[in-house]
Amino acid sequence: LKARGHSIGFVGPRYSDKNYKELGKPREEFLLTEGFEVYRIPSLPFAGSASGQARNVIPLGWSIPFVRRFRPDIIHTQTPFGTGFEALLASRIFKIPLVGTNHTHIREFIKIYGPIRTKWAEKIVQKFFSWYYNRCAYVSTVAQKLIDEMRESGFKRNADVISNPLSLSTFSPPTEELRSSLRKELGLAGPTVIYAGRIAMEKRLDVVIRA
C-alpha cells in the first residue's frame, strides 16, 4: 500500500520490556518509515497465549486522538476483540467506513482458548462475531466456511474469500550439495519435514508428527 502512494497508520498493543528482551529486539519501532505510523495502546498479558507474547487491549478509546490526527479514509479491523473495538469506536465517532477481516474459526478457537469450552459458549461467541462484523461495510475471510458460520448466526454484510497464497516462483529446490550441507549442519537424518508458521494447538502439528 505504501509503495502505491498510500499512508498507513497501524494501531496495535503495547508490549512489555520483557517481551522485547525475550525476542532480542530493540524497543524502537522498526516499522517506522515515511508514510507508515505506529500507535501503541496500553495492554495486559493474555494468559491463554501459546507463545506467551499475545496481549489484551482494554478498549477505552486510547486510539481516538491518533485517529483524529491521522484522519484515514478507511479503517481496517483484524479482530473483534480489544483493538477491534477501538476500530469500531473510531469508525462511529469519525464516520469512517470500517472494513473487517476474520481469520478465526470461532468454534475451534473456543475449544482451545475459551475459558468456558461448551457448545453454548461457542454459540454466544459466534453470535458476537456476527454482531461485530455486521458493523463493517465489508468483510473478508480466508475460507468460505467462516462466512457460512457467521451467516448461520445472523451475519448479513457483503463478504468475500481472499486467500493468502504463496508465489511458487519465490521457492526452488536446493541443489544436492546444499541439501547435504544443511542436513549435516542441522544434524538431520532420514525423512525431513519443514513447517513454517506459528507453533499453536490449532495448527495441529501433532497430526504432522504422527504422520
Side-chain angles (χ1 to χ4, degrees):
L1 289 173
K2 182 177 174 295
R4 294 180 180 183
H6 300 287
S7 295
I8 303 101
F10 176 84
V11 177
R14 182 182 300 157
Y15 288 82
S16 68
D17 290 335
K18 181 182 177 183
N19 291 139
Y20 285 95
K21 186 176 180 181
E22 287 176 349
L23 289 175
K25 297 286 186 181
R27 193 170 185 86
E28 294 79 22
E29 291 291 355
F30 59 92
L31 289 174
L32 283 181
T33 60
E34 186 179 352
F36 195 117
E37 292 191 52
V38 177
Y39 185 81
R40 296 289 181 183
I41 299 176
S43 65
L44 300 170
F46 175 47
S49 166
S51 66
Q53 294 282 358
R55 308 286 296 184
N56 267 328
V57 167
I58 300 175
L60 298 175
W62 310 99
S63 61
I64 297 304
F66 172 74
V67 178
R68 178 183 287 114
R69 176 178 62 80
F70 194 81
R71 296 301 286 188
D73 296 303
I74 293 175
I75 295 176
H76 174 243
T77 173
Q78 182 71 29
T79 172
F81 306 115
T83 51
F85 261 100
E86 289 276 329
L88 180 57
L89 183 62
S91 170
R92 291 302 175 90
I93 290 175
F94 300 113
K95 309 294 189 231
I96 300 170
L98 183 65
V99 173
T101 294
N102 179 17
H103 284 184
T104 304
H105 191 298
I106 298 98
R107 292 169 188 166
E108 292 299 318
F109 180 86
I110 291 298
K111 287 176 184 176
I112 296 171
Y113 297 111
I116 303 174
R117 303 173 187 181
T118 61
K119 288 292 183 184
W120 62 264
E122 290 176 23
K123 289 182 180 179
I124 290 174
V125 177
Q126 188 76 62
K127 286 280 188 183
F128 165 70
F129 266 63
S130 296
W131 174 87
Y132 179 86
Y133 285 108
N134 271 334
R135 269 76 196 156
C136 297
Y138 171 81
V139 175
S140 71
T141 71
V142 291
Q144 183 62 42
K145 187 175 183 180
L146 297 182
I147 297 176
D148 295 340
E149 278 188 357
M150 291 195 295
R151 294 277 189 229
E152 292 171 7
S153 301
F155 175 64
K156 301 182 185 305
R157 287 294 187 175
N158 290 332
D160 285 300
V161 175
I162 301 177
S163 62
N164 296 313
L166 293 171
S167 173
L168 295 181
S169 62
T170 304
F171 304 92
S172 60
T175 62
E176 193 56 45
E177 290 78 13
L178 179 58
R179 188 192 302 271
S180 299
S181 173
L182 288 173
R183 290 173 69 84
K184 184 177 180 180
E185 179 185 338
L186 299 172
L188 302 175
T192 303
V193 176
I194 293 179
Y195 166 76
R198 286 191 303 115
I199 299 178
M201 289 180 66
E202 68 268 24
K203 300 301 182 181
R204 298 307 306 270
L205 298 182
D206 56 313
V207 175
V208 178
I209 292 170
R210 284 201 301 271

